[in-house]
Amino acid sequence: MARRSTALLLAAPALAVTIAAMTTGSASADTTSAPAEISTAVTTSPAVAGVPASDYSVTDVRLADSDPTWAAAQLTPTAAGADVLDPATVVLQLVDGTWQVVDLGTAQVGCGLLTPAVEGELALSC
């Protein structure tokens, strides 16, 4: 089943990056290496290409219990990014063994893309 995905990161009022992609397939998640892989997926994603990695940190990585091919994390501004970034949520999916950013933003992140159970397990505000 194909899934629509949209990513949005507000780095400053003048900067908005939108990525649209189709994702298909899934693979089993390795929960021990997931936080590091998710952090790498976020920092290398085109969704944050215009934002220096030193301006934010990837925190609070969590996997859905019912479907660990779905994950979420927080992007927390560092001291360097505190004046230009808002905290954001990112949703990722494990596709063919690689974590991919599916949605990223400050509100309604992941809403309508996931089952209500997965939304709840990832503590999304839908």
Side-chain angles (χ1 to χ4, degrees), residues 40-71:
T40 298
V42 171
T43 59
T44 60
S45 170
V48 296
V51 182
S54 61
D55 284 3
Y56 65 91
S57 58
V58 180
T59 62
D60 191 24
V61 174
R62 53 211 184 267
L63 299 177
D65 290 332
S66 64
D67 184 352
T69 63
W70 286 101

Side-chain angles (χ1 to χ4, degrees), residues 7-9 17 19 34-53 55-62 71-76 85 88-93 98-105 109:
L8 172 65
L9 174 65
V17 179
I19 307 295
E37 292 173 359
I38 287 168
S39 182
T40 298
V42 171
T43 59
T44 60
S45 170
V48 296
V51 182
D55 284 3
Y56 65 91
S57 58
V58 180
T59 62
D60 191 24
V61 174
R62 53 211 184 267
Q74 295 305 121
L75 298 187
T76 305
L85 294 177
T89 301
V90 60
V91 172
L92 303 97
Q93 183 179 27
T98 303
W99 286 102
Q100 297 180 7
V101 172
V102 174
D103 200 9
L104 190 155
V109 179

